C-alpha cells in the first residue's frame, strides 16, 4: 500500500469517527488541526505547480510537512495524537529518500524515489491538509 492510500484510509476513518461521534474533537484539537493544515499548505505547493521545483526542493518540502505533523503530535493526546501519529507513520518513507547523488555509494540506506513517488507523497499531504481543515471546523 502506498503513502497516498494510507493517508486516504486514515482520513476516511477520522471523518467516520467524527461523523459517528466516536471522536468529538476538543477545542485544542480544532486549533491544532487548523495550525497543521496551514503549515502543510505553506510547505507543499498547489498541484499545478508541484512539478516545477527541483526534486531537492520537493523533498525538502515533504520533510517540512512531516516535521509539522510531528511537532503538532507533541502537543496533543488521545484521538488527535493517534491520528497525527498514524499520519506521521504514513509519511515516514520520505525520511529515507535522497535527492542528490551519492558519489561514494554510502547513503545510510537512503534511496532515490521515482518522480511518481514525489507526486504521490504530495497528494497524500494535500489529502491530509484537506482532512485537517475540515477537522478544524468539525
Amino acid at each position: 500500500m502506498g503513502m497516498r492510500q494510507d493517508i486516504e484510509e486514515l482520513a476516511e476513518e477520522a471523518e467516520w469517527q467524527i461523523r459517528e461521534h466516536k471522536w468529538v474533537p476538543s477545542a485544542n484539537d480544532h486549533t491544532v488541526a487548523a495550525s497543521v493544515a496551514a503549515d502543510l499548505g505553506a510547505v507543499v505547493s498547489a498541484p499545478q505547480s508541484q512539478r516545477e521545483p527541483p526534486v531537492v526542493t520537493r523533498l525538502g518540502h515533504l520533510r517540512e510537512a512531516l516535521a509539522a505533523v510531528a511537532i503538532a503530535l507533541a502537543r496533543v493526546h488521545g484521538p488527535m495524537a493517534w491520528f497525527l501519529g498514524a499520519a506521521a507513520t504514513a509519511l515516514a518513507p520520505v525520511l529515507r529518500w535522497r535527492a542528490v547523488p551519492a558519489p561514494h555509494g554510502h547513503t545510510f540506506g537512503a534511496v532515490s524515489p521515482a518522480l511518481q513517488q514525489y507526486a504521490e507523497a504530495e497528494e497524500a499531504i494535500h489529502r491530509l491538509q484537506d482532512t485537517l481543515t475540515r477537522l478544524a471546523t468539525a
Side-chain angles (χ1 to χ4, degrees), residues 20-93:
E20 297 296 317
H21 304 286
K22 309 279 186 206
W23 174 17
V24 179
S26 68
N28 188 54
D29 290 344
H30 293 295
T31 301
V32 169
S35 175
V36 176
D39 290 345
L40 296 179
V43 296
V44 177
S45 59
Q48 60 271 25
S49 62
Q50 285 176 344
R51 308 304 183 259
E52 295 172 15
V55 292
V56 160
T57 302
R58 290 173 75 182
L59 181 54
H61 290 168
L62 290 169
R63 289 178 179 160
E64 285 182 59
L66 176 55
V69 172
I71 290 167
L73 175 59
R75 300 188 320 243
V76 294
H77 301 282
M80 180 58 103
W82 306 330
F83 174 74
L84 292 175
T89 299
L91 300 173

Side-chain angles (χ1 to χ4, degrees), residues 78-138:
M80 180 58 103
W82 306 330
F83 174 74
L84 292 175
T89 299
L91 300 173
V94 303
L95 296 174
R96 296 201 50 192
W97 292 359
R98 66 181 174 85
V100 297
H104 304 294
H106 301 286
T107 64
F108 300 98
V111 297
S112 295
L115 288 177
Q116 181 55 35
Q117 288 176 285
Y118 283 101
E120 178 185 352
E122 290 158 346
E123 290 168 11
I125 296 293
H126 287 293
R127 177 62 167 113
L128 180 59
Q129 178 189 16
D130 180 58
T131 301
L132 287 164
T133 299
R134 285 198 304 269
L135 198 152
T137 60

